[in-house]
Amino acid sequence: MRNADHAGPKARHFPLRIALLSTLTVAAITVISAVPAQASQLATEVADTAGGTETNLLLQNLLNGITFGLLLALASVGLSLIYATTGLSNFAHGEQVTFGAAAAFAAVTAGAPILLAAVFAVLAGGASGWLQDTVLWSQLRKRRIAPMQQMIVSIGLALAAVNLLQIWMGAQRVRLSTSIEVRYEFGPVSIGPQTMISMAVCIVALGAVGFFLQRTRLGRATRAVSDNPALASATGISVNRVIRIVWIMSGSLAALGGVLLALYENTSDFSAGARILLLMFAAVTLGGLGHPFGALVGSLVVGIVAEVSTVFLPTPDLKYAIVMGMLILTLLVRPQGLLGRKERVG
Amino acid sequence: MTDPQTIISADHLIAGYLPGVDILNGCSMDVKEGELIGVIGPNGAGKSTFLKALFGLVPVREGKVQLRGEDITNLKADKLVQRGIGFVPQTENVFPTLSIEENLEMGAYQAPKTYKAQRAKMYDLFPVLGKRRNQQAGSLSGGERQMVAMARALMMDPSVLLLDEPSAGLSPDRQDETFVRTRDINRTGVTVIMVEQNARRCLQICDRGYVLDQGTSAYTATGQELLADPKVIELYLGTLGADKDDEDDAGAVVAPDATTEKSE
């Protein structure tokens, strides 16, 4: 009976939720059945080369969206954790993603196999997170610099980092793997092995983050610090140590995201991370700022909406505009984001 | 040398949040092992600041805080928790997105080995928390949060517990419950220093009270003595409770007092 006092509001929302769900389901069925017909001319061309099976453009884009969403989630989960524990909107997080790709590229150039290069990138990413927090962010926190000022610092850092990355990587596009991508057919969709491995790595890494936050003592302490750093400190949690670990994790995950993004797009360059920075912010805000799983849910929604919208849009260039429009609409209806909770007051 | 029985002593503390603005102007206190101390005073006297200065949350510029004769001035909160001091803030005293059980686990963060045993003790002391262990603390009422906060502070089995206005914002019967519970906790051997707005109720249960005024400890005496002190009555307790003409108001103040006397 512990939820007895919540039964009232829940019961009131129930019909609304059912109505919303049924509308969405009907809309989804209509769209899925309508699209292959509409896009059949396009699709047939693809299907011809693939040997008979008709590719469903909508399902294919849905799959692409999920893949991109998972990559985005991996890249942005650190952004979300840093915001949650320190209040900082880190505009240099995009460069953290590029840094992963750059480190992996450096390793590959030096002759390392791609797997080893990815491990190196993750370690280097973690080290960069540790270094940044040690020499910069923890010092700013100690001097009680407000999050707004810290954000401006992060913008400066982003500008400096993107230039340093350009010097390091050069201005040209780079590739981590030169193998020719084969694609496997699965009914109406096709997928390459690189993408499949990327998805699997994303799912394992995100699962590990979830396990860390929910099932380990340090993870629960991280959530406690996100809830209230002052109270966490008064409770005996070493807040600075928790934040240091968050920075290391965040750097590693962003680097891994950068490597996988480079494999997924089959190319990378010094501004690869900066290009997805706003999408990461959109995903994290959409999911619920500071919520541990907000980044995951928000990223999946952003990825799917962006990719699926290209089926209907006159030009794919508009897909991120659609994402931002959806973000605004969502926040109008649900200011705390999809997973964010309104807290009881009093 | 301090009295061997003295557990906490504060010696002429000068402290404040901003440079140049002192809230405490030479505040002193000596607390003996096992005492229940009430700190009262008008708004702005520095009661909460004093408690925070003891717990290292407000920088102490001059003076000394000692725990069993050891200097603990300006030590970080996590170090003080390690040494056996627990602190319950007045507001925002639970982790809202964590469950009750997770809140308690955080209380024992520095001593994970004792967590399970301490948790069982807390569920004995606050049975309602045990029944609702998986509920998110953010969905609890003020009184329930106060219980979670106290239980969390007790998870490290502290020798000193600092309470910042535990009765603030609670209904009169919940306030009584909180005072009775504080007394119970104190009787298990925990030294308690509580800051209270509700001076009358606080002085009724405490062994000794300190009256703070303008950042200095004006004077100290036993709770009963302060309750009878005409100056304290005039300045901090008000004469409402003694006003026999206004029956409604007198009733409102006297009634809860009567219940506690029964329960004690």
Side-chain angles (χ1 to χ4, degrees):
Chain A
M1 288 305 281
R2 64 190 172 85
N3 281 327
D5 32 339
H6 301 293
K10 244 186 195 165
R12 244 182 291 135
H13 287 308
F14 192 65
L16 197 73
R17 285 181 186 195
I18 292 287
L20 201 68
L21 260 180
S22 2
T23 319
L24 281 176
T25 315
V26 171
I29 292 171
T30 321
V31 163
I32 290 181
S33 51
V35 167
Q38 183 203 340
S40 57
Q41 273 126 1
L42 268 172
T44 340
E45 282 171 46
V46 183
D48 282 347
T49 51
T53 338
E54 195 169 303
T55 302
N56 183 313
L57 210 57
L58 191 76
L59 288 178
Q60 182 65 52
N61 275 296
L62 188 65
L63 181 68
N64 294 349
I66 292 171
T67 313
F68 183 60
L70 283 171
L71 286 169
L72 200 61
L74 194 59
S76 61
V77 68
L79 186 70
S80 176
L81 284 174
I82 287 172
Y83 177 82
T85 50
T86 68
L88 167 69
S89 303
N90 180 21
F91 274 74
H93 197 74
E95 279 58 50
Q96 205 72 50
V97 173
T98 318
F99 178 75
F105 177 65
V108 166
T109 316
I114 183 70
L115 195 67
L116 197 65
V119 171
F120 171 71
V122 169
L123 293 176
S128 81
W130 174 83
L131 188 72
Q132 262 185 72
D133 188 51
T134 309
V135 303
L136 179 61
W137 303 112
S138 67
Q139 305 300 324
L140 294 182
R141 285 196 305 275
K142 205 192 280 176
R143 287 164 180 75
R144 298 179 183 275
I145 309 285
M148 179 69 185
Q149 276 89 325
Q150 289 192 34
M151 187 192 84
I152 306 290
V153 171
S154 82
I155 294 175
L157 189 68
L159 290 175
V162 81
N163 286 311
L164 287 173
L165 284 165
Q166 186 175 7
I167 293 170
W168 187 22
M169 298 170 83
Q172 79 284 8
R173 297 188 149 261
V174 299
R175 296 182 74 185
L176 288 185
S177 157
T178 47
S179 64
I180 296 156
E181 172 95 281
V182 281
R183 293 186 78 87
Y184 302 123
E185 298 286 331
F186 294 99
V189 295
S190 69
I191 186 169
Q194 254 172 233
T195 310
M196 282 200 286
I197 292 168
S198 292
M199 282 176 92
V201 172
C202 279
I203 289 167
V204 170
L206 290 169
V209 173
F211 182 84
F212 167 75
L213 289 172
Q214 295 290 351
R215 300 264 165 238
T216 68
R217 209 165 62 90
L218 187 60
R220 288 191 282 262
T222 306
R223 282 162 51 215
V225 173
S226 331
D227 270 4
N228 187 340
L231 183 63
S233 171
T235 300
I237 298 169
S238 169
V239 174
N240 276 323
R241 201 175 140 256
V242 168
I243 293 176
R244 181 73 41 91
I245 288 163
V246 165
W247 269 100
I248 294 171
M249 271 177 59
S250 163
S252 308
L253 291 167
L256 183 60
V259 174
L260 296 180
L261 190 71
L263 289 173
Y264 170 73
E265 292 183 333
N266 216 357
T267 173
S268 188
D269 65 80
F270 68 93
S271 64
R275 277 198 300 275
I276 63 163
L277 178 71
L278 290 182
L279 283 181
M280 291 195 280
F281 272 121
V284 167
T285 312
L286 185 69
L289 261 182
H291 189 280
F293 299 105
L296 173 62
V297 173
S299 299
L300 280 174
V301 174
V302 164
I304 291 169
V305 168
E307 293 303 322
V308 170
S309 69
T310 58
V311 178
F312 309 99
L313 289 173
T315 157
D317 295 337
L318 275 176
K319 65 181 177 184
Y320 295 140
I322 295 285
V323 169
M324 296 304 162
M326 183 196 59
L327 171 67
I328 294 168
L329 282 179
T330 310
L331 293 182
L332 281 174
V333 180
R334 208 177 149 77
Q336 70 272 43
L338 294 174
L339 294 187
R341 276 191 198 87
K342 277 187 192 160
E343 200 199 316
R344 169 171 172 170
V345 179
Chain B
M1 196 54 220
T2 45
D3 190 316
Q5 276 191 315
T6 302
I7 185 158
I8 286 245
S9 75
D11 191 19
H12 288 92
L13 297 189
I14 295 183
Y17 300 87
L18 300 172
V21 187
D22 295 331
I23 310 283
L24 300 181
N25 304 297
C27 215
S28 298
M29 178 181 285
D30 269 291
V31 181
K32 296 200 169 35
E33 192 114 36
E35 269 191 313
L36 172 50
I37 299 288
V39 181
I40 61 166
N43 282 333
K47 302 185 297 281
S48 288
T49 309
F50 177 68
L51 211 60
K52 287 177 188 163
L54 290 184
F55 201 62
L57 298 174
V58 176
V60 174
R61 286 194 262 275
E62 274 178 51
K64 213 166 164 189
V65 185
Q66 288 178 312
L67 174 70
R68 291 196 184 93
E70 273 180 75
D71 190 0
I72 55 162
T73 321
N74 288 331
L75 275 190
K76 285 257 181 263
D78 52 328
K79 293 280 181 292
L80 295 172
V81 171
Q82 227 166 34
R83 287 170 184 239
I85 304 184
F87 175 68
V88 180
Q90 183 189 340
T91 52
E92 299 188 3
N93 48 21
V94 297
F95 299 111
T97 71
L98 269 57
S99 68
I100 290 176
E101 188 147 298
E102 287 171 335
N103 265 275
L104 297 189
E105 187 193 10
M106 290 303 109
Y109 190 73
Q110 293 192 10
K113 281 183 187 150
T114 63
Y115 165 55
K116 284 200 174 137
Q118 284 294 110
R119 186 181 66 188
K121 261 167 81 176
M122 289 310 130
Y123 287 159
D124 278 346
L125 192 60
F126 307 94
V128 61
L129 300 186
K131 278 184 219 142
R132 302 164 76 171
R133 59 181 74 193
N134 292 321
Q135 190 172 334
Q136 270 201 340
S139 66
L140 300 174
S141 71
E144 293 160 342
R145 285 183 199 208
Q146 189 59 250
M147 271 191 245
V148 174
M150 274 201 195
R152 195 194 54 244
L154 290 171
M155 286 296 285
M156 286 290 284
D157 209 0
S159 43
V160 181
L161 187 63
L162 309 176
L163 303 176
D164 193 356
E165 303 207 6
S167 78
L170 302 183
S171 62
D173 55 330
R174 287 286 189 169
Q175 286 189 13
D176 275 357
E177 206 181 306
T178 304
F179 284 117
V180 170
R181 188 153 275 140
T182 306
R183 182 85 248 187
D184 290 347
I185 289 168
N186 171 249
R187 281 184 179 143
T188 65
V190 182
T191 308
V192 178
I193 304 175
M194 74 191 302
V195 159
E196 258 299 326
Q197 282 274 340
N198 192 342
R200 187 182 302 276
R201 303 288 294 106
C202 173
L203 291 177
Q204 277 169 345
I205 61 154
C206 70
D207 298 320
R208 211 147 52 83
Y210 273 86
V211 180
L212 247 63
D213 196 15
Q214 294 177 15
T216 55
S217 28
Y219 43 95
T220 175
T222 67
Q224 293 308 319
E225 280 166 0
L226 287 177
L227 274 172
D229 187 321
K231 206 171 150 199
V232 173
I233 292 175
E234 191 195 332
L235 289 175
Y236 311 117
L237 301 178
T239 47
L240 203 58
D243 191 351
K244 298 281 186 285
D245 296 338
D246 191 337
E247 293 229 320
D248 284 351
D249 283 348
V253 177
V254 170
D257 295 0
T259 25
T260 326
E261 270 156 25
K262 256 184 267 160
S263 52
E264 274 185 337

